[in-house]
Amino acid sequence: MKDRIRKIMESQHMSQHNFAQFIGVSTAALSSIFNGRTKPTLNTVEAIRSKLPDISLDWLVFGTGEMFMHDVDAQKVTSDTPKTGVEQTLGFDLTSTTLPDGGNEPPVSQSVERTPKKSAKNDVKIFNKSARRITEIRVFYDDQTYESFTP
């Protein structure tokens, strides 16, 4: 199951830290799953399912079927359609879309390659602190003595 969770994380183009934050699980808990110290809990599975509802629970828990449920639906459609030797297609015209005001919208690309990658949100916290000053330097020697230096 840990390998399947890793595949989900990689499919979302996230690091281990970002994925843990995304699903609401501690980074340490996710790390211990990947290192094999602990097994994924029901809470981990529910957290993944709540954030990624297209993930097939059969695939995630048991390793059967396809990773995404829309892949399973697509397989059902292909396996349920009769094999006639002629390729069957759905009647969608993606060349243009008619808008309610009568105008046309430019064609929409359905390519995965043009899908923007989700980037992790980085919060930068700036603290206004005064500059630190050196008040004393101590040097310890191997004969158990030391010297102190002050500016």
Side-chain angles (χ1 to χ4, degrees), residues 62-100:
F62 303 111
T64 59
E66 296 296 319
M67 179 187 229
F68 294 102
M69 288 195 306
H70 59 79
D71 291 344
V72 173
D73 294 340
Q75 279 187 345
K76 284 182 184 177
V77 169
T78 10
S79 64
D80 293 344
T81 54
K83 308 270 189 233
T84 60
V86 177
E87 184 177 336
Q88 296 181 354
T89 60
L90 299 174
F92 294 118
D93 180 18
L94 293 177
T95 55
S96 66
T97 306
T98 305
L99 298 174

Side-chain angles (χ1 to χ4, degrees), residues 31-45:
S31 177
S32 65
I33 289 170
F34 289 148
N35 291 332
R37 287 190 301 267
T38 61
K39 294 187 185 244
T41 63
L42 184 58
N43 290 339
T44 306
V45 173

Side-chain angles (χ1 to χ4, degrees), residues 4-36:
R4 292 187 291 277
I5 293 173
R6 187 178 305 277
K7 281 186 180 182
I8 293 170
M9 183 180 76
E10 290 170 355
S11 75
Q12 299 300 311
H13 307 289
M14 291 186 180
S15 68
Q16 186 172 323
H17 177 75
N18 292 339
F19 186 70
Q21 286 182 334
F22 175 70
I23 64 173
V25 175
S26 73
T27 308
L30 195 61
S31 177
S32 65
I33 289 170
F34 289 148
N35 291 332

Side-chain angles (χ1 to χ4, degrees), residues 93-97 105-111 114:
D93 180 18
L94 293 177
T95 55
S96 66
T97 306
E105 190 176 294
V108 178
S109 172
Q110 298 295 325
S111 172
R114 296 185 186 190

